Amino acid sequence: MKVEISNFGKAKDGSDIRCYTLTNENGMMVSLLNLGAIIKDIIVPDKKGQFVDVNLGYDNVEGYYDNAESLGSFVGRNANRIGGAKVTICGIEYKLEENDGENNLHSGSNRSHYMLFDAEVLEDEFATRVRFMHTFKDMEQGFPGKAELSITYTLTEGNELILEYRGISDKDTVINPTNHSYFNLDGEGDILKHKMYVNADKFTAIASNMIPTGEIVDVENTPMDFRKMKEIGEGIDSDYNYIKIARGYDHNFVLNGTEGDISKVAELYSDKTGIAVEVMTDLPGMQVYTANFLENKKGKAGVIYNPRAGVCFETQYFPNACNEKNFKSSIISAGKEYRSTTVFKFNIK
C-alpha cells in the first residue's frame, strides 16, 4: 500500500488543497481531498482488467466549490433533512437554516464539504489510512456545542474502502454524518441498468416535503423492494406515491440486522463492467438516492452529469431523527463519543 500527496489547487483562503491518493497491490486507487474530506476518485479494475473511475466528481477546485449536490462529500454535522429547520435540545429550540423549502438539508449551505480539514497519514503493518479532522464551533451551522468530527479512510488489499466516523461535543448536539459519493460502475452514462440489492424489509414513509411522517412502511409488493437484486430503472418512474414525491429513489431504508454490528446492507452491480460494490455498515438507516436533482453539472473530463448519473448509499440515522420520537435519536450527549463504520467493498462478478 502506498500514499501519494499532491497539490490540487488553492482554497478560498489561499491555503493549499491537498490530494491524498491511496493505491493497493491490485491497482485500486482512492483519491481524497482535505477540502471537505471529499472522496474525489475511486478507480477499480473491471472484468477486462481496464480501470474505471466509479465515483462522480470534478477535475478542479472550482467544481468542488460549486457542489450543492455534495458529490463525493463527507456530510456533517448532520446529513439529510431536519423538518421545519429546527431542533429542540435540552428544552431549547435551535433554529437552523431553511435551505430545502422549510427544511434544513445537510446542515445548511455552510456545508462541511466547503471546509478545510486537518489531515494525517497513518501507516502500520496492516494498512495505510488517511484521517481528516475538523472542529465545528459552538453554534456553527446552527447547532450547539463545540464538536470535533473526524473520518478515517482505509484502503485494504481486499479492495475495501473503510470509512470510520468519530465525533464528540462539549454540549448535547446533533451528530449524524454520512458519505455522499455518487456511484456509477460503468464510469459513464446512467445507472438505470445497474442491479441493486438492499437488505431492508421496510422504509420510512415521507410527506410531500420529503420529511418522514414517523410511519414505517413494508417494502412488500412495492417498487421499494430490493431484497432480490433488480435493475434500478425497473420502478424508478412508477406511479407509486412515495416514488412520485421524490422523483425517483430518495428514501431511507430501515436496515435489517443488528445496529452496532457491521453487516452487508446493499450491493450494486453492472453487467457492462462486471464491477460490484457491497455496502456494509453498523448504522440503522441508509438513504438511497438516484441523483434525481443532479442536472447539467460539468464533471470529470467535461462529462455533463444529469439525473440518474449515479446512486448514493448514505448510511446514517433516519432523516429528522433529532425530532421524530419514533426514531432512534441523532442527538448525542455531551462528552459521549459518536462512532460508526461503513465499508464499500469492490469486486468483479
Side-chain angles (χ1 to χ4, degrees):
M1 186 72 62
K2 64 179 181 178
V3 58
E4 294 183 0
I5 305 174
S6 59
N7 286 327
F8 187 65
K10 293 288 185 181
K12 289 187 175 180
D13 67 0
S15 56
D16 290 332
I17 296 175
R18 303 289 191 185
C19 181
Y20 298 77
T21 301
L22 296 167
T23 307
N24 68 13
E25 292 182 355
N26 306 314
M28 178 176 170
M29 297 174 59
V30 175
S31 295
L32 312 161
L33 302 178
N34 67 332
L35 176 65
I38 285 167
I39 301 177
K40 179 182 176 292
D41 307 313
I42 303 175
I43 299 173
V44 296
D46 68 7
K47 61 186 178 183
K48 297 179 180 178
Q50 298 176 334
F51 284 88
V52 180
D53 188 348
V54 298
N55 181 52
L56 303 190
Y58 304 102
D59 290 326
N60 51 51
V61 172
E62 291 74 22
Y64 286 106
Y65 274 124
D66 181 24
N67 190 21
E69 297 81 8
S70 304
L71 272 65
S73 298
F74 164 88
V75 182
R77 303 180 188 193
N78 180 73
N80 218 304
R81 294 173 174 87
I82 294 178
K86 58 187 177 182
V87 57
T88 299
I89 303 174
C90 298
I92 301 173
E93 182 178 284
Y94 295 91
K95 185 61 180 172
L96 309 172
E97 179 187 356
E98 296 181 4
N99 68 319
D100 181 57
E102 297 180 348
N103 307 316
N104 178 270
L105 175 63
H106 296 327
S107 305
S109 56
N110 181 29
R111 297 187 181 180
S112 55
H113 61 256
Y114 298 133
M115 303 173 184
L116 286 175
F117 281 57
D118 295 325
E120 62 178 337
V121 177
L122 307 171
E123 296 181 275
D124 57 35
E125 59 184 307
F126 303 107
T128 300
R129 306 173 175 88
V130 183
R131 178 181 297 156
F132 296 97
M133 299 153 288
H134 186 78
T135 299
F136 293 80
K137 299 174 184 176
D138 184 30
M139 295 309 299
E140 189 170 10
Q141 298 178 319
F143 297 104
K146 175 184 175 183
E148 299 175 359
L149 269 65
S150 72
I151 181 168
T152 302
Y153 296 103
T154 304
L155 176 62
T156 73
E157 296 298 348
N159 285 4
E160 297 168 309
L161 177 58
I162 303 172
L163 286 61
E164 296 172 279
Y165 300 90
R166 301 289 183 268
I168 193 166
S169 172
D170 62 359
K171 295 180 181 178
D172 291 12
T173 195
V174 176
I175 299 180
N176 182 30
T178 195
N179 174 263
H180 209 288
S181 290
Y182 290 70
F183 294 101
N184 184 317
L185 302 184
D186 295 338
E188 61 184 8
D190 60 47
I191 45 80
L192 296 177
K193 291 292 185 181
H194 283 39
K195 294 183 174 68
M196 186 170 72
Y197 159 80
V198 179
N199 185 18
D201 296 329
K202 301 178 185 298
F203 68 99
T204 49
I206 52 174
S208 59
N209 63 356
M210 297 289 292
I211 297 298
T213 64
E215 181 186 3
I216 304 295
V217 180
D218 201 305
V219 301
E220 186 79 27
N221 297 320
T222 78
M224 309 300 296
D225 192 351
F226 285 91
R227 291 173 297 180
K228 293 183 179 179
M229 251 191 170
K230 66 179 183 182
E231 290 186 357
I232 292 175
E234 186 175 320
I236 200 168
D237 292 317
S238 75
D239 61 359
Y240 186 59
N241 180 51
Y242 296 120
I243 294 285
K244 290 169 66 176
I245 289 172
R247 291 167 49 180
Y249 292 105
D250 190 5
H251 304 82
N252 172 69
F253 286 84
V254 179
L255 300 174
N256 297 336
T258 303
E259 184 186 350
D261 293 339
I262 300 173
S263 60
K264 180 178 175 178
V265 298
E267 184 172 355
L268 186 70
Y269 170 70
S270 165
D271 283 326
K272 180 179 177 180
T273 59
I275 298 171
V277 57
E278 299 176 59
V279 185
M280 292 163 272
T281 193
D282 53 8
L283 286 162
M286 180 178 68
Q287 189 89 0
V288 173
Y289 174 53
T290 49
N292 309 328
F293 299 96
L294 183 63
E295 190 168 355
N296 199 33
K297 296 292 290 191
K298 187 177 180 180
K300 296 174 184 175
V303 173
I304 302 300
Y305 299 145
N306 281 308
R308 323 300 197 225
V311 57
C312 304
F313 298 100
E314 305 165 54
T315 56
Q316 58 195 248
Y317 289 122
F318 298 172
N320 204 36
C322 56
N323 291 317
E324 177 53 62
K325 292 181 173 57
N326 290 338
F327 299 162
K328 178 171 181 177
S329 179
S330 54
I331 297 173
I332 308 298
S333 300
K336 181 179 179 181
E337 186 181 38
Y338 170 92
R339 302 170 65 96
S340 71
T341 300
T342 293
V343 181
F344 299 114
K345 180 177 174 60
F346 295 86
N347 52 67
I348 301 296
K349 288 192 171 183

